[in-house]
Amino acid sequence: ERISFDTLRPLCRGDSITLSIEASYDSISWSTNDTGRRLSIHKPGTYWANAWTKEGVWVQSDTVRVKEVPNIKAKVRNVICHGRADGRISLTPGSLSGRLDPEFIWKGTKQATAMRDSVAAGRYLYTYADSTGCRLKDTVAVSEPSPLNTQTTVSFQQSRTDSAAKLTAVINGGTPPYEETLNGKPITTPVKYLPVDTYRYRVEDTNGCSKTRQLVITRDSVPAIEAKVEAPSCYGSSDGRITLKV
């Protein structure tokens, strides 16, 4: 004699299924240490039971393997540059779910598809349903890098020559490493001795996200410095003074 169970449907996540022993036994012991005639199953796994008749005859049950659906794998391509809508979500049902005619419906759309393309950063809710009646909701998150920012500073030497400017830059956000160009030529800031001119400064991160700004250096940009000199009172004294005024 052996205890058999009816064929079980897959376990829908968050739901339960029940194993029942209908025959009358003096005692029952499940693999979970439960002792009743019915076992409520809430998670996938392997289950069985041992039973004893009044005469002390031991009877063993079939081993039941409970599988859970949906076994969905979400593949996400995150947004490449901040603020864009170039993300992608692809839902792939496992071998069990794939045999149950799964359907995915995305909130806010009428799309019944396992893939969403050209999405911005955020959380996306979908509903799963299959031929067993299993129906549940889940979310997929799409992220993005922080905004690419640059802070440039142009400083000057104490002269009014055409080669007095120095360019420094602070770069953050995006996805390092960064590449800098000035009028299309690769540079690494700081850059010294820039002539009076108009420059196109551009920084690009490893994903191809870029930020460009125009820098204008003119003669009027270079500060005029006035020097006031007070000579020492006597030869060899150190009470002279130089005062610079910009």
Side-chain angles (χ1 to χ4, degrees):
E1 185 179 356
R2 192 172 186 86
I3 301 171
S4 298
F5 301 110
D6 293 335
T7 302
L8 294 177
R9 62 173 174 81
L11 176 65
C12 185
R13 191 193 313 162
D15 200 356
S16 65
I17 56 178
T18 301
L19 290 177
S20 298
I21 298 177
E22 301 300 334
S24 179
Y25 291 98
D26 189 55
S27 65
I28 298 173
S29 176
W30 294 91
S31 55
T32 58
N33 295 322
D34 291 271
T35 57
R37 291 177 57 194
R38 291 177 174 82
L39 177 67
S40 183
I41 299 174
H42 299 272
K43 60 182 180 180
T46 303
Y47 300 89
W48 68 90
N50 293 310
W52 289 265
T53 67
K54 292 181 180 180
E55 293 76 21
V57 177
W58 169 57
V59 181
Q60 191 175 30
S61 76
D62 294 334
T63 297
V64 176
R65 291 178 177 82
V66 176
K67 297 183 179 180
E68 185 181 63
V69 293
N71 49 339
I72 306 301
K73 294 181 180 179
K75 184 178 181 180
V76 177
R77 186 187 70 189
N78 292 315
V79 173
I80 295 175
C81 299
H82 182 85
R84 290 188 185 177
D86 54 9
R88 175 183 294 172
I89 304 171
S90 178
L91 302 178
T92 304
S95 58
L96 178 59
S97 294
R99 296 195 298 268
L100 301 176
D101 299 323
E103 182 180 61
F104 304 94
I105 302 174
W106 296 93
K107 182 180 179 181
T109 74
K110 295 182 179 180
Q111 293 179 323
T113 175
M115 180 179 291
R116 287 201 63 177
D117 209 352
S118 302
V119 297
R123 299 187 67 84
Y124 294 85
L125 174 67
Y126 69 89
T127 300
Y128 165 92
D130 64 30
S131 59
T132 68
C134 181
R135 186 180 181 90
L136 57 84
K137 296 180 179 180
D138 205 349
T139 59
V140 180
V142 178
S143 65
E144 66 180 349
S146 57
L148 178 62
N149 290 313
T150 63
Q151 293 180 326
T152 56
T153 303
V154 177
S155 56
F156 302 93
Q157 301 174 2
Q158 295 178 9
S159 70
R160 295 184 61 84
T161 66
D162 288 350
S163 300
K166 174 184 177 182
L167 170 65
T168 58
V170 177
I171 308 169
N172 53 56
T175 307
Y178 309 108
E179 292 183 357
E180 300 170 277
T181 60
L182 196 63
N183 288 353
K185 296 180 179 180
I187 62 165
T188 300
T189 52
V191 177
K192 299 180 180 180
Y193 310 119
L194 290 175
V196 169
D197 205 344
T198 298
Y199 296 91
R200 184 174 178 268
Y201 172 75
R202 184 175 186 270
V203 59
E204 182 177 306
D205 71 5
T206 192
N207 286 338
C209 313
S210 63
K211 197 85 171 183
T212 302
R213 63 177 56 201
Q214 181 172 284
L215 305 174
V216 180
I217 301 176
T218 66
R219 290 182 181 274
D220 293 336
S221 300
V222 183
I225 301 175
E226 178 183 343
K228 181 179 180 181
V229 179
E230 297 180 25
S233 57
C234 298
Y235 179 80
S237 299
S238 58
D239 56 357
R241 178 182 297 177
I242 301 174
T243 303
L244 300 178
K245 181 178 180 182
V246 181

